[in-house]
Amino acid sequence: MFNSCMFTGDATSKESSPFINSSTSDVEKCQQYDGKNMALFEEEMDTSPMVSSLLSSLANYSNLTQGSKEHEEAENNEEARKKTVQAPRMGTIMGVYLPCMQNILGVILFLRMTWLVGIGGVLGTFTIVFMCCSTTMLTAISMSAIATNGVVPAGGSYYMISRSLGPEFGGAVGICFYLGTTFAGAMYILGCIEILLIYIVPAAAIFKMEGLEGAEAEAALLNNMRVYGTIVLSFMALVVFVGVKYVNKLALVFLACVILSILAVYAGVIKTSFDPPDFPVCVLGNRTLASKGFDICAKTIERGNATLTTKLWRAFCDSEFLNATCDEYFTSNNVSQIQGIPGITSGILAENLFSTFMEKNSILEKRGVPAVLDPEATVTNTNRYVMADITSFFTLLVGIYFPSVTGIMAGSNRSGDLQDAQKSIPIGTILAITTTSIIYMSSVILFGACVDGVVLRDKFGEGVDGNLVIGTLAWPSPWVIVFGSFFSTCGAGLQSLTGAPRLLQAIARDGIIPFLRVFGHGKANGEPTWALLLTACICESGILIASLDAVAPILSMFFLMCYMFVNLACALQTLLRTPNWRPRFKFYHWALSLLGMSLCLTLMFLCSWYYAIVAMVIASCIYKYIEFCGAEKEWGDGIRGISLSAARYALMRLEEGPPHTKNWRPQILVLMSLDAEQNVEQPRLLSLTSQLKAGKGLTIVGACVEGTYLNNQPQAQEGDQVRLMEVEKVKGFSQVVISSNLRDATSHLIQAGGLGGLRHNTVLVSYPKNWKQAEEHHRCRNFIEVVRETTAARLALLVPKNISAYPSNGERFTEGHIDVWWIVHDGGMLMLLPFLLRQHKVWRKCKIRIFTVAQMDDNSIQMKKDLMTFLYHLRFDAEVEVVEMHESDISAYTYEKTLMMEQRSQILKEMHLTKNEREREIQSITDVSRGSIRRKNPSNLHPQRSIAEESVGGGGEEKSEEEVAAVSHFVLCAIIHQVCDFVLVFHLKTSHSQKKSLQYGVSFRNQSNVRRMHHAQKLNEVIVKKSQEAKLVLLNMPGPPKNRTGEENYMEFLEVLTEGLNRVLLVRGGGREVITIYS
């Protein structure tokens, strides 16, 4: 049996993935498939492996590398080094549920939740919590569908969005997610410092706040936050840089702090039902007093028989004596004490149901308590009261609260470490969101039911001895909450500084944003050193803001944008019914994804409309940057699916009928000529196309290659027309047709170019240069056939002559004219083209002149008025001139040109006769010419150097017999041509009667040729006279002869018509109107 494996092919590198076996040599493959009854398919094993090997590769494909870039390399690069990772062993609880819980529950719950309830009321805050939790739940459903639609490496939402919506959206949203995570780190650090300086060691403040009021006290607090925040950030960054493994090991400790703190709060709520804690709040009239300024909540005390004043008295009066001068409000109102935490059974919930929004620096007041107040009196001793530090409103509360529900991506970020990611991610994420949503919603109700409103609105616990407000509710001690929240914020900050650099590293290694590639590098063990440095710098900018309430809306924007695109990705994949969209998680629907996307967009503008706009501008700039400068990636994204669906829909709509005249625009098929090296011969054709495409529309750059498809397909794809299209900024498509001859290939392009209603309606082809030379005769015939075919197909035709003289896109005409010679009506193409050209910067400064020709029986004055009216209705600004062409006798020059044309046509015809026919025809022409010479006996004929001499004397190389015969034949024909020219010149110098005898004695093969030559010559004289200095001349192109006997004459007519003009654009209409005077 013959073994076909003896023949080895060239070993080319293939994709290294479980689907393609490319790592074995040809000999190894022969041994692998020998004896397996696969001889019929062994040559295709590179691209079509055996099913058994495919399944084996898939079964062993468990060592998924961490990071999206490594994953792509493992799929696409044979030489990628796969990292050996430990087998996944984390389940749903440890791998997804607890990490999500840790990331969701955090600083906002401990530091701002009670304040949110006090300001927004139970109903308003519950609405905010419900909206935000619904948004994250819908996002989690969409994320679960995406995460279970195949393997998701590390990179989380960035990987999912980029592979679902493409590199542009993926890069933009990935950067937003990175910025959100980074600013979240700043928020956690600020929360950590707030707990430290306000509730644990207030004495550690560098900028002292005692005795300061208003803006000075606020500035001191912010400066303390900046200094300590920078110190803590530096320490955390150092920890992450040196020992990130310790951060991961401490994650459970930090999570335990969070859980214990929450349990302490619930225990405290239960305890208030039977034993409320004693946290009295001192109120002057209805104003809440800051507890740091006094020890006893009373103006005076009775000690024995004496009445003594208290510290509170001395705070509002100028002395400690009873006759001292005191603050008017202090004198008019009594001091009372209320219970800060009356308990869950007290009925305080009814008082806290509705919102109490406050202006900045307004005093915190107790509802329902009467107070004596002089409306005209100014407020003094403001530092003795609890004041509002910011102006509050509903949308502000939304922006501050939303970061507390972020962190739902923690499970998907760890997908590479999960035992069964497609099972654990949906269950763990949705369960974590459900648990945290219950905690948040119950907290809103329980806080409103247990704590008095003045305490809830006291953001920093100034009225309850500087205690953390939520700590006053905790059991057994407020310090459980204080230390628990402190360590949880520290842990969350470390987690952010650990995760954000890795996300940036994944984006940088994907290579879609060129200027970020430096951040893809790191230490030898892969730690992202440069990314950590950039993250620390961005985080420092958030710390310099110094206000937790100001930083929270910023990261809300970035997270909301990220979640919005997760929902969009799921909705698109579902609606487009992508074949690869087969998620294991079945409880999703496109309507839920769209609802989630709408909620995200709504919350963005609710939080802060200007931050939302800034975030969108950042994302848009990144999107456009990746689109223009980023690396091209094809990830099978949904945006391409949208493009395909939109294109199909648009094409189906275009098929409903031809476009209206108002919508007509040139859809151009550019016929390019390629040389032997597949280089474009007339690159200025693309420049002209670009200048015409100010009217937009379709552009197809077509090229023809002679040969067979199997043999010439690779080199046909290497043509430089695509590169030139990019250089000339021509937006369109390139199409190369391979055929056995160029004539058929050009015909195929004209017939089959485009698709459906989006087909070309205009053909742009260069005028054949050197067409008079015998070796260029085939190009001349191809050109004439193109003219015929475009006419038959009712396509417009544009033929630029002297295309090399046309301006490039970089040139500018500062003055000059575009002259339009309107000889016959072509549907308005001649009018439309100069208008389109002037939209381009090359021709913008040129003025349009329109010339039309009047015959003897035409009223030229009326024609000019009518034309000006027509142009006025067309809204074209152009000069108008009517040129009168008088009838005249056919000149001798015309006869000369006609006879020369016919003689040349005859010679070209001889080139295609058989040998015997050629000899008979040459002898006949020679005899006639010699007879004419003898009869006239010319004495003034002087020999001239013929083109044959140039042809023969030009080269010194030896030629074969066939080449010598061909050259000899060409020389003979050229001699006959010269003899005929001499005869003609002699006759033209005779008398008028002799010219008449010549006219009737020498019979032209077609008398219409004389008339056509006469008209071409006269029209050319007029055009040259008027438009020789014009930058461009547009001219009606006459049609080719219906029969094929006069093809060579047709080219002579065009040559005479355009002689003496630098740039000429010959135009043939497509048989339909392309402009209209109607709106």
Side-chain angles (χ1 to χ4, degrees), residues 65 67-77 159 163 510 633-635:
T65 53
S68 56
K69 178 61 177 176
E70 290 87 350
H71 178 63
E72 293 296 322
E73 289 177 351
E75 286 187 344
N76 299 319
N77 187 0
Y159 184 90
R163 270 56 176 182
D510 257 348
K633 298 283 185 179
E634 176 51 58
W635 287 327

Short mmCIF file of all heavy atoms in Angstrom, two decimals, residues 65 67-77 159 163 510 633-635:
data_model
loop_
_atom_site.label_atom_id
_atom_site.label_comp_id
_atom_site.label_asym_id
_atom_site.label_seq_id
_atom_site.Cartn_x
_atom_site.Cartn_y
_atom_site.Cartn_z
N THR A 65 -4.83 30.08 31.84
CA THR A 65 -3.93 31.10 32.37
C THR A 65 -4.73 32.24 32.96
O THR A 65 -5.86 32.52 32.54
CB THR A 65 -3.03 31.63 31.25
OG1 THR A 65 -3.86 32.04 30.18
CG2 THR A 65 -2.08 30.55 30.78
N GLY A 67 -5.52 36.00 33.40
CA GLY A 67 -5.35 37.25 32.68
C GLY A 67 -5.79 37.09 31.25
O GLY A 67 -5.52 36.10 30.59
N SER A 68 -6.49 38.09 30.74
CA SER A 68 -7.06 37.97 29.40
C SER A 68 -6.00 37.90 28.34
O SER A 68 -6.16 37.20 27.34
CB SER A 68 -7.98 39.18 29.15
OG SER A 68 -7.28 40.38 29.34
N LYS A 69 -4.88 38.60 28.51
CA LYS A 69 -3.86 38.58 27.48
C LYS A 69 -3.24 37.19 27.36
O LYS A 69 -3.04 36.67 26.27
CB LYS A 69 -2.79 39.63 27.79
CG LYS A 69 -1.65 39.65 26.77
CD LYS A 69 -2.14 39.99 25.39
CE LYS A 69 -0.98 40.07 24.41
NZ LYS A 69 -1.41 40.31 23.05
N GLU A 70 -2.93 36.58 28.51
CA GLU A 70 -2.35 35.25 28.46
C GLU A 70 -3.33 34.27 27.83
O GLU A 70 -2.93 33.35 27.11
CB GLU A 70 -1.99 34.76 29.87
CG GLU A 70 -0.80 35.49 30.49
CD GLU A 70 -1.21 36.75 31.20
OE1 GLU A 70 -2.38 37.15 31.06
OE2 GLU A 70 -0.39 37.34 31.88
N HIS A 71 -4.61 34.47 28.11
CA HIS A 71 -5.61 33.58 27.52
C HIS A 71 -5.63 33.70 26.00
O HIS A 71 -5.69 32.70 25.29
CB HIS A 71 -6.99 33.91 28.09
CG HIS A 71 -8.09 33.08 27.52
ND1 HIS A 71 -8.15 31.72 27.68
CD2 HIS A 71 -9.16 33.42 26.76
CE1 HIS A 71 -9.22 31.24 27.06
NE2 HIS A 71 -9.84 32.26 26.49
N GLU A 72 -5.55 34.92 25.52
CA GLU A 72 -5.53 35.11 24.08
C GLU A 72 -4.28 34.51 23.46
O GLU A 72 -4.30 33.91 22.40
CB GLU A 72 -5.59 36.62 23.74
CG GLU A 72 -6.90 37.26 24.11
CD GLU A 72 -8.04 36.69 23.31
OE1 GLU A 72 -7.86 36.41 22.11
OE2 GLU A 72 -9.11 36.46 23.88
N GLU A 73 -3.14 34.65 24.15
CA GLU A 73 -1.91 34.06 23.62
C GLU A 73 -2.01 32.54 23.61
O GLU A 73 -1.54 31.88 22.68
CB GLU A 73 -0.72 34.50 24.46
CG GLU A 73 -0.35 35.96 24.28
CD GLU A 73 0.79 36.37 25.18
OE1 GLU A 73 1.17 35.57 26.05
OE2 GLU A 73 1.30 37.48 25.00
N ALA A 74 -2.63 31.99 24.62
CA ALA A 74 -2.76 30.54 24.65
C ALA A 74 -3.64 30.03 23.53
O ALA A 74 -3.50 28.90 23.08
CB ALA A 74 -3.35 30.10 26.00
N GLU A 75 -4.53 30.88 23.06
CA GLU A 75 -5.39 30.48 21.95
C GLU A 75 -4.74 30.74 20.60
O GLU A 75 -4.94 29.97 19.66
CB GLU A 75 -6.71 31.25 22.00
CG GLU A 75 -7.65 30.78 23.07
CD GLU A 75 -8.99 31.45 22.96
OE1 GLU A 75 -9.07 32.47 22.26
OE2 GLU A 75 -9.93 30.97 23.56
N ASN A 76 -3.96 31.79 20.48
CA ASN A 76 -3.52 32.23 19.16
C ASN A 76 -2.02 32.10 18.89
O ASN A 76 -1.59 32.32 17.78
CB ASN A 76 -3.90 33.71 18.97
CG ASN A 76 -5.39 33.90 19.06
OD1 ASN A 76 -6.13 33.09 18.54
ND2 ASN A 76 -5.83 34.94 19.73
N ASN A 77 -1.22 31.79 19.88
CA ASN A 77 0.22 31.77 19.68
C ASN A 77 0.78 30.44 20.12
O ASN A 77 0.67 30.05 21.28
CB ASN A 77 0.87 32.91 20.47
CG ASN A 77 2.35 33.04 20.17
OD1 ASN A 77 2.89 32.28 19.36
ND2 ASN A 77 3.00 33.98 20.82
N TYR A 159 -13.17 41.74 30.68
CA TYR A 159 -13.08 40.65 29.72
C TYR A 159 -14.45 40.38 29.09
O TYR A 159 -14.57 40.23 27.87
CB TYR A 159 -12.55 39.39 30.40
CG TYR A 159 -12.33 38.25 29.43
CD1 TYR A 159 -11.11 38.08 28.80
CD2 TYR A 159 -13.35 37.36 29.13
CE1 TYR A 159 -10.90 37.06 27.91
CE2 TYR A 159 -13.16 36.34 28.23
CZ TYR A 159 -11.93 36.18 27.63
OH TYR A 159 -11.73 35.17 26.73
N ARG A 163 -15.16 41.20 25.08
CA ARG A 163 -15.43 40.07 24.18
C ARG A 163 -16.88 40.05 23.70
O ARG A 163 -17.20 39.35 22.75
CB ARG A 163 -15.11 38.75 24.87
CG ARG A 163 -13.67 38.29 24.68
CD ARG A 163 -12.68 39.32 25.13
NE ARG A 163 -11.29 38.88 25.06
CZ ARG A 163 -10.27 39.61 25.44
NH1 ARG A 163 -10.47 40.83 25.91
NH2 ARG A 163 -9.04 39.16 25.33
N ASP A 510 -3.61 43.36 26.70
CA ASP A 510 -4.44 43.11 25.52
C ASP A 510 -3.98 43.94 24.33
O ASP A 510 -4.28 43.62 23.19
CB ASP A 510 -5.91 43.44 25.83
CG ASP A 510 -6.72 42.17 26.07
OD1 ASP A 510 -6.20 41.08 25.76
OD2 ASP A 510 -7.84 42.26 26.55
N LYS A 633 -8.57 44.22 16.89
CA LYS A 633 -8.86 42.92 17.48
C LYS A 633 -10.19 42.42 16.92
O LYS A 633 -11.11 43.20 16.69
CB LYS A 633 -8.97 43.03 19.01
CG LYS A 633 -7.68 43.49 19.69
CD LYS A 633 -6.67 42.37 19.78
CE LYS A 633 -5.45 42.81 20.57
NZ LYS A 633 -4.45 41.75 20.69
N GLU A 634 -10.27 41.15 16.72
CA GLU A 634 -11.54 40.55 16.29
C GLU A 634 -11.90 39.49 17.33
O GLU A 634 -11.31 38.41 17.38
CB GLU A 634 -11.38 39.91 14.90
CG GLU A 634 -12.62 39.17 14.42
CD GLU A 634 -13.87 40.01 14.54
OE1 GLU A 634 -13.93 41.09 13.95
OE2 GLU A 634 -14.80 39.58 15.26
N TRP A 635 -12.86 39.85 18.17
CA TRP A 635 -13.24 38.97 19.27
C TRP A 635 -14.66 38.44 19.09
O TRP A 635 -15.27 37.96 20.04
CB TRP A 635 -13.13 39.72 20.61
CG TRP A 635 -11.72 39.94 21.04
CD1 TRP A 635 -10.66 39.12 20.80
CD2 TRP A 635 -11.21 41.06 21.78
NE1 TRP A 635 -9.52 39.65 21.35
CE2 TRP A 635 -9.82 40.84 21.96
CE3 TRP A 635 -11.78 42.21 22.30
CZ2 TRP A 635 -9.01 41.72 22.65
CZ3 TRP A 635 -10.97 43.08 22.98
CH2 TRP A 635 -9.60 42.84 23.15
#
